[in-house]
């Protein structure tokens, strides 16, 4: 063993490597992304790893490998679980042979997601056992145990870290390579049990019910489900799980010792241990992030065994109902629960002043981002027209901000293509556009294009191809020409895919060539049926920028460049337009907008 200071996601990855994981697949999504990337850097020669085109593909791939006796890991964020739900539900009924861990990173806040959905509910819904680590250190150890439980019960299992477990850091004792478990997959053995039929599903459903009872009993003895301070005299107690346990421990560190129930396996709930915890207690405060899962489970246990105990938490308004917990918010809830006046004290007993609010810094497209040029070209071309701009998930969602104001809808990955079709059916006089990034196109938009062709929709698809998965850290995808294993492969052509689907008009143009881009939009948008424009220009984060632009004395300070583009490199100094050379990439978009040719720049294309 040796000690390493590492991020929670890195700890999870190293735990999986130490557990002898054979196959890892996933789709990038904050806060889960670094897990797969860390495995890629530290995997053994017998470990295969890939970024799949979406979470469903990843889930199906690792399930097949698990049928062969491989230890497998699939990674995603909570939104991705919705995409992967179909194969997961069936895999629980069929079962697996090798250990299969489904890592779903939940995002309380939400910090970078559309929803705050809680995977613990999905665990109960899908009847998949769930492990809920409280820290980076525990995550390292727990994921190794998760593989063992998966193999013991021949079932996929959830591993559910939340943002602060994923992105927190800690010094962790990790195994040396000689201590790693080596898993030798037996291989796929043909058996009718791998073919799902209604009769088999019914029989397996009965077995799952029996497993739930057995697991609930075993989880009551699982070492990471704990009752702390069992002999505390106070009749008030705390029940908690996940990162909230860490906050509770910190909040109680110097105060009164309370009986505390740490729930590491929210499903199946460790009922017998919960019963032991509730014995002799009058009131329980449940502290958890997202939904009142532990709270509801304790209410059920108290009711089932007719216990006179009051369960408090989110449902009673004693803990905030949404967003992330913090150490301070948890301490406030506990102090209120105990009837303690909570005063924040500074050094030497002086009252600390309230910290000033942090300045608001709204997210914005990067200076030189080609998406800005793409949005602006469509906006200029469609002036005076009744339009609908359906957006999607990615950097380009930021096109909704002023002054661009070019994203009217954003639901989930790939939805914009179908939403544009739906709105177009109700408002046939509207010119409907659907914007989608290159990675999202491969992940979930292709079926929307097929639907549009088959059902004879009238819409314009705009693919914003910046040659990477920019939002989550520039991961490869089928259009980049390389894989996570480091192989150089043939690029999958978006243009060829569109034409293969039946899109007759497909135009590819550099959005930084604004004149041509605007003309192309006007031409294509006026055609009937499904047509496509591919705006192709690399993300500024993966290319070398030109020298920055400059402003000469022709500037009349009209501020059109600032008003219409919203580029962070365009600023004012002493009331006059200026360019922040530390941000400017020399993309040339502002040059094309300036009415007096006051902006000088090398041109409208970055050097690759």
């Amino acid at each position: 063993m040796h000690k390493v200071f590492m991020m929670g996601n890195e700890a999870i990855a190293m735990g999986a490597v130490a557990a002898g994981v054979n196959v890892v697949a996933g789709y990038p999504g904050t806060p889960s992304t670094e897990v797969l990337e860390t495995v890629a850097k530290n995997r053994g020669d017998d470990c295969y790893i890939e970024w799949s085109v979406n979470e469903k593909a990843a889930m199906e791939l690792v399930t097949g490998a698990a049928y062969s006796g491989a230890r497998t890991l699939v990674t995603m964020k909570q939104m991705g679980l919705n995409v992967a739900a179909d194969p997961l539900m069936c895999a629980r009924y069929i079962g697996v042979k090798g250990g299969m861990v489904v890592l779903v990173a939940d995002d309380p806040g939400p910090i970078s997601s559309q929803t705050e959905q809680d995977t613990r509910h999905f665990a109960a819904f899908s009847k998949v056992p769930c492990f809920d680590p409280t820290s980076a250190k525990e995550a390292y150890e727990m994921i190794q145990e998760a593989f063992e439980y998966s193999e013991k019960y021949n079932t996929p299992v959830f591993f559910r870290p939340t943002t602060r477990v994923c992105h927190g850091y800690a010094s962790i004792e990790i195994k040396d390579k000689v201590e790693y478990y080596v898993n030798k997959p037996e291989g796929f053995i043909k058996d009718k049990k791998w073919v799902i039929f209604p009769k088999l599903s019914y029989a397996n459903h009965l077995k799952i019910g029996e497993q739930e009872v057995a697991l609930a009993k075993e989880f009551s003895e699982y070492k990471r489900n704990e009752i702390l301070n069992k002999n505390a005299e106070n009749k008030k107690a705390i029940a908690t799980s996940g990162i909230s346990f860490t906050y509770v421990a910190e909040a109680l560190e110097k105060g009164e010792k309370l009986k505390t129930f740490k729930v590491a396996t929210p499903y199946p709930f460790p009922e017998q241990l919960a019963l032991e915890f509730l014995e002799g207690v009058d009131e329980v405060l449940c502290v958890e992030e997202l939904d009142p899962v532990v709270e509801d489970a304790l209410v059920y246990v108290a009711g089932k065994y007719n216990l006179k105990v009051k369960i408090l938490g989110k449902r009673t308004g004693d803990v905030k109902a949404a967003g992330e917990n913090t150490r301070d918010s948890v301490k406030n809830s506990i102090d209120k629960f105990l009837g303690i006046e909570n005063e924040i004290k500074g050094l030497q007993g002086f009252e600390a002043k309230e910290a000033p609010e942090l300045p608001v810094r709204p997210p914005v497209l990067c200076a030189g981002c080609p998406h800005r040029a793409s949005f602006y070209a469509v906006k200029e071309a469609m002036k005076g027209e009744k339009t609908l701009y359906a957006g999607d998930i990615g950097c380009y969602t930021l096109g909704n901000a002023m002054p661009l104001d070019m994203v009217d809808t954003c639901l989930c990955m790939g939805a914009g293509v179908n939403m544009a079709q739906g709105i177009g059916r109700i408002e046939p006089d509207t010119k409907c556009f659907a914007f989608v990034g290159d990675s999202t196109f491969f992940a979930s938009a292709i079926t929307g294009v097929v639907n549009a062709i088959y059902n004879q929709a009238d819409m314009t698809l705009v693919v914003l191809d910046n040659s990477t998965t920019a939002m989550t850290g520039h991961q490869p995808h089928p259009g980049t020409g390389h894989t996570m294993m480091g192989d150089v492969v043939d690029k999958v052509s978006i243009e060829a895919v569109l034409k293969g689907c039946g899109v007759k008009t497909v135009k590819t143009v550099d959005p930084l060539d604004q004149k041509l881009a605007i003309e192309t939009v006007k031409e294509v948008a006026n055609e009937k049926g499904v047509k496509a424009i591919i705006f192709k220009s690399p993300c500024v984060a993966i290319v070398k920028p030109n020298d920055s632009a400059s402003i000469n004395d022709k500037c009349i300070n009209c501020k059109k460049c600032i008003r219409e583009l919203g580029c962070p490199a365009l600023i004012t100094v002493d009331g006059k337009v200026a360019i922040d050379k530390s941000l400017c990439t020399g993309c040339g978009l502002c040059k094309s907008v300036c009415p007096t040719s006051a902006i000088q720049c090398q041109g409208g294309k970055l050097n690759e």
Side-chain angles (χ1 to χ4, degrees):
M1 301 282 284
H2 62 286
K3 187 170 284 190
V4 180
F5 185 68
M6 58 174 57
M7 182 196 292
N9 276 345
E10 294 172 329
I12 293 167
M14 294 308 296
V17 172
V21 69
N22 304 110
V23 175
V24 184
Y27 188 80
T30 304
S32 72
T33 307
E34 297 88 356
V35 174
L36 190 145
E37 293 177 336
T38 303
V39 175
K41 294 174 186 174
N42 296 278
R43 65 185 178 86
D45 294 336
D46 59 347
C47 177
Y48 173 78
I49 188 165
E50 74 170 39
W51 284 123
S52 303
V53 294
N54 63 21
E55 295 86 353
K56 182 176 185 290
M59 185 74 74
E60 291 162 350
L61 181 137
V62 302
T63 302
Y67 283 3
S68 301
R71 283 193 164 185
T72 67
L73 173 67
V74 58
T75 70
M76 64 197 71
K77 67 188 295 178
Q78 84 279 12
M79 303 300 298
L81 181 56
N82 302 331
V83 180
D86 194 10
L88 175 67
M89 296 291 290
C90 296
R92 178 62 179 110
Y93 271 65
I94 292 268
V96 293
K97 182 163 63 175
M100 176 176 163
V101 177
V102 181
L103 185 149
V104 183
D106 282 0
D107 184 22
I111 296 171
S112 60
S113 307
Q114 305 97 291
T115 73
E116 280 194 296
Q117 74 186 55
D118 193 323
T119 298
R120 294 176 298 171
H121 284 308
F122 206 103
F125 171 58
S126 60
K127 305 183 187 302
V128 173
C130 182
F131 293 81
D132 194 6
T134 64
S135 66
K137 178 180 181 298
E138 185 171 74
Y140 173 77
E141 298 162 348
M142 186 184 280
I143 195 166
Q144 297 175 61
E145 296 157 3
F147 280 106
E148 294 170 5
Y149 274 93
S150 174
E151 289 176 344
K152 181 176 181 179
Y153 286 92
N154 300 117
T155 178
V157 298
F158 277 124
F159 193 80
R160 183 237 180 204
T162 53
T163 303
R164 301 305 167 185
V165 172
C166 291
H167 289 165
Y169 279 78
S171 290
I172 302 170
E173 287 277 350
I174 68 171
K175 293 178 178 177
D176 298 320
K177 287 186 178 180
V178 293
E179 301 174 274
Y180 289 176
Y181 177 80
V182 178
N183 185 57
K184 298 290 185 182
E186 181 184 17
F188 181 74
I189 297 174
K190 293 188 177 186
D191 192 310
K192 295 300 182 184
K193 71 180 182 180
W194 302 123
V195 183
I196 193 165
F197 277 111
K199 186 177 180 180
L200 178 63
S201 295
Y202 173 76
N204 285 355
H205 194 181
L206 295 175
K207 291 178 183 177
I208 289 171
E210 294 169 0
Q211 272 192 357
E212 286 181 294
V213 174
L215 268 166
K217 183 177 180 180
E218 183 162 352
F219 280 168
S220 286
E221 300 172 2
Y222 176 47
K223 62 184 176 182
R224 304 200 186 280
N225 286 318
E226 296 180 81
I227 301 174
L228 291 84
N229 304 317
K230 289 184 180 181
N231 300 318
E233 294 181 4
N234 199 316
K235 295 297 183 180
K236 293 186 174 185
I238 305 286
T240 185
S241 69
I243 192 65
S244 296
F245 168 77
T246 304
Y247 300 149
V248 167
E250 290 177 358
L252 296 175
E253 190 174 13
K254 296 179 181 178
E256 184 173 0
K257 298 298 181 185
L258 295 181
K259 193 175 185 181
T260 303
F261 184 25
K262 174 192 164 195
V263 181
T265 56
Y267 180 82
F269 194 71
E271 185 175 308
Q272 291 303 310
L273 191 62
L275 193 60
E276 180 184 338
F277 163 72
L278 292 173
E279 185 179 349
V281 171
D282 294 336
E283 290 184 83
V284 175
L285 180 69
C286 299
V287 183
E288 53 192 317
E289 280 186 329
L290 298 179
D291 295 337
V293 173
V294 172
E295 182 181 349
D296 288 349
L298 289 179
V299 169
Y300 168 79
V301 172
K304 180 177 179 180
Y305 294 96
N306 196 28
L307 302 177
K308 302 298 182 182
V309 57
K310 192 173 183 180
I311 309 296
L312 307 174
K314 292 175 180 286
R315 296 208 183 276
T316 59
D318 292 276
V319 175
K320 64 177 184 175
E324 278 194 296
N325 288 338
T326 64
R327 191 194 69 168
D328 289 342
S329 72
V330 168
K331 187 173 188 337
N332 287 340
S333 296
I334 293 174
D335 285 352
K336 182 181 175 184
F337 175 58
L338 296 175
I340 299 172
E341 185 178 347
N342 186 1
E343 293 182 359
I344 300 174
K345 297 288 184 180
L347 294 174
Q348 298 176 347
F350 291 103
E351 289 194 18
K353 292 183 178 179
E354 292 255 347
E357 287 190 14
L358 294 173
V360 177
R361 188 177 67 176
V364 64
L365 292 170
C366 298
C369 175
H371 297 338
R372 179 179 287 105
S374 300
F375 283 129
Y376 191 72
V378 176
K379 188 173 187 176
E380 286 295 292
M382 290 293 103
K383 275 185 176 178
E385 299 276 4
K386 183 181 178 184
T387 56
L388 178 280
Y389 302 125
D392 220 297
I393 305 300
C395 296
Y396 46 94
T397 310
L398 299 175
N400 74 319
M402 300 299 287
L404 290 173
D405 191 24
M406 286 293 290
V407 177
D408 297 322
T409 70
C410 182
L411 182 64
C412 62
M413 287 191 69
V417 183
N418 289 309
M419 293 186 75
Q421 296 170 50
I423 293 171
R425 293 296 181 187
I426 301 301
E427 300 183 29
D429 60 332
T430 300
K431 289 190 180 298
C432 293
F433 289 77
F435 294 97
V436 65
D438 45 337
S439 180
T440 304
F441 173 81
F442 290 114
S444 54
I446 294 174
T447 51
V449 175
V450 173
N451 190 74
I453 292 293
Y454 174 64
N455 290 297
Q456 304 172 72
D458 186 10
M459 60 166 289
T460 303
L461 174 68
V462 179
V463 181
L464 304 171
D465 184 358
N466 63 0
S467 301
T468 189
T469 312
M471 189 72 165
T472 50
H474 307 100
Q475 292 79 20
H477 62 65
T480 62
H482 60 280
T483 71
M484 199 61 183
M485 295 284 285
D487 297 324
V488 176
V489 296
D490 291 336
K491 295 181 181 181
V492 178
S493 165
I494 294 175
E495 183 174 353
V497 170
L498 289 170
K499 288 184 175 178
C501 290
V503 182
K504 293 184 173 57
T505 298
V506 181
K507 299 283 187 179
T508 301
V509 62
D510 182 350
L512 296 175
D513 185 345
Q514 274 288 291
K515 183 178 178 182
L516 178 59
I518 292 170
E519 290 173 354
T520 301
V521 174
K522 287 180 178 178
E523 174 191 342
V524 173
N526 284 323
E527 293 186 18
K528 289 293 182 184
V530 181
K531 52 274 182 190
I533 302 167
I534 302 172
F535 281 127
K536 190 171 181 62
S537 185
C539 172
V540 292
I542 61 173
V543 294
K544 295 178 181 178
N546 289 319
D547 292 334
S548 61
S550 60
I551 299 176
N552 60 33
D553 55 11
K554 292 181 182 179
C555 178
I556 59 174
N557 212 33
C558 67
K559 297 186 175 67
K560 181 181 179 182
C561 55
I562 293 176
R563 288 196 320 272
E564 298 199 2
L565 299 180
C567 176
L570 292 166
I571 59 175
T572 58
V573 177
D574 297 328
K576 293 184 179 180
V577 177
I579 292 174
D580 185 339
K581 294 186 180 295
S582 68
L583 294 176
C584 181
T585 64
C587 73
L589 181 60
C590 55
K591 176 182 176 182
S592 68
V593 170
C594 182
T596 62
S597 301
I599 300 177
Q600 296 174 321
C601 185
Q602 286 189 10
K605 190 168 178 61
L606 297 173
N607 296 322
E608 296 188 34

